[in-house]
């Protein structure tokens, strides 16, 4: 199944629900510009939540390689697009991952896939950060892993709750990253040429 193009069961029901929602919001779902909107939104929402039907652990276990390398591996500036579970509005930004292998490495693109799968679920940024860390820790069993996410939340910006353009940063780590020195090495490598969102 290709979750990009094959839509899941319940698509028609979802579209009908969005038609009701339009009406409840005071719109006329029969006017020309909105005729196809309920189905478009239903498809978009199935794509934005496709991560429920994908297994991030399998992505990593399918791509494990034995390797003696035991220095820090960093994948930075991974795009994150997710929906906050409180308002179902987007939050987006960058995810940075570092790990120190313990005999096994994975393809760098697989780390980005894990981020993609967890972010295509309803999330809070804190849990998203932790889930990515746990998934890498459980599958690669590295000496340690650290995940940092910097994101802007549309639920804060569009509703005017917080200063516009504020960025929320979350981090989580395990193993050797419990050492302040190791965390500082990662953070200084990140600061190097990391772009702002
Ligand atoms: Zn929110």
């Amino acid at each position: 199944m290709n979750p990009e193009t094959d839509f899941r069961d319940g698509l028609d029901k979802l579209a009908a629900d969005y038609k009701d929602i339009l009406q409840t919001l005071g719109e006329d779902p029969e006017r020309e510009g909105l005729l196809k909107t309920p189905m478009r939104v239903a498809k978009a929402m199935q794509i934005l939540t496709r991560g429920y039907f994908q297994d991030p652990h399998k992505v990593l276990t399918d791509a494990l390689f034995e390797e003696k390398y035991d220095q820090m591996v960093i994948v930075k500036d991974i795009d994150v697009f997710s929906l906050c579970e409180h308002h179902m509005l987007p939050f987006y930004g960058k995810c940075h991952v570092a790990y120190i292998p313990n005999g096994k490495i994975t393809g760098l693109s697989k780390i980005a896939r894990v981020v993609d799968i967890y972010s295509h679920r309803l999330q809070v940024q804190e849990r998203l950060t932790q889930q990515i860390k746990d998934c890498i820790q459980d599958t690669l069993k590295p000496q340690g892993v650290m995940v940092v996410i910097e994101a802007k939340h549309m639920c804060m910006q569009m509703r005017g709750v917080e200063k516009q353009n504020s960025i929320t940063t979350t981090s989580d780590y395990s193993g050797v990253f419990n050492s302040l020195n190791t965390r500082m090495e990662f953070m200084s490598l990140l600061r190097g040429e990391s772009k702002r969102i």
Side-chain angles (χ1 to χ4, degrees):
M1 173 183 165
N2 177 0
E4 301 280 351
T5 51
D6 299 342
F7 292 98
R8 307 192 293 271
D9 290 350
L11 188 66
D12 289 337
K13 161 95 167 66
L14 199 52
D17 291 346
Y18 275 115
K19 192 173 173 183
D20 286 346
I21 288 170
L22 283 174
Q23 216 144 21
T24 308
L25 289 173
E27 261 293 357
D28 171 13
E30 302 298 338
R31 73 176 172 84
E32 204 188 343
L34 290 180
L35 276 179
K36 293 183 175 169
T37 296
M39 183 52 80
R40 284 197 205 98
V41 178
K43 287 180 173 176
M45 289 307 290
Q46 282 206 351
I47 290 171
L48 298 183
T49 57
R50 66 180 178 221
Y52 290 120
F53 300 88
Q54 297 170 321
D55 182 354
H57 290 79
K58 187 169 169 359
V59 167
L60 293 185
T61 51
D62 282 354
L64 287 183
F65 310 102
E66 305 279 336
E67 190 61 63
K68 286 208 164 43
Y69 184 81
D70 64 354
Q71 299 298 309
M72 198 177 290
V73 177
I74 297 180
V75 189
K76 58 181 196 177
D77 292 330
I78 303 167
D79 285 321
V80 172
F81 297 98
S82 192
L83 290 177
C84 90
E85 69 183 15
H86 301 137
H87 305 91
M88 293 178 68
L89 287 171
F91 66 95
Y92 66 94
K94 299 287 185 191
C95 178
H96 317 290
V97 175
Y99 71 98
I100 299 183
N102 192 11
K104 290 197 184 99
I105 59 166
T106 186
L108 299 181
S109 67
K110 306 300 178 191
I111 302 275
R113 279 280 295 142
V114 168
V115 173
D116 184 79
I117 290 173
Y118 282 119
S119 56
H120 281 74
R121 299 177 182 184
L122 299 184
Q123 283 289 5
V124 295
Q125 186 178 330
E126 294 85 343
R127 188 175 68 236
L128 176 61
T129 308
Q130 186 187 348
Q131 285 178 333
I132 296 165
K133 178 214 70 176
D134 286 344
C135 181
I136 295 168
Q137 182 64 45
D138 293 347
T139 52
L140 289 181
K141 304 196 189 323
Q143 297 178 52
V145 55
M146 180 161 175
V147 177
V148 175
I149 297 180
E150 302 171 293
K152 293 181 175 180
H153 289 249
M154 297 313 284
C155 62
M156 294 200 287
Q157 301 198 336
M158 292 181 75
R159 298 186 311 137
V161 177
E162 290 233 342
K163 257 200 310 199
Q164 305 264 323
N165 291 320
S166 69
I167 293 174
T168 305
T169 303
T170 48
S171 65
D172 199 1
Y173 50 83
S174 65
V176 288
F177 286 90
N178 280 294
S179 146
L180 180 62
N181 279 344
T182 313
R183 291 204 298 281
M184 281 176 56
E185 182 188 343
F186 176 39
M187 295 311 282
S188 70
L189 287 165
L190 275 189
R191 294 290 162 250
E193 65 240 55
S194 187
K195 286 174 263 123
R196 297 264 65 179
I197 311 164

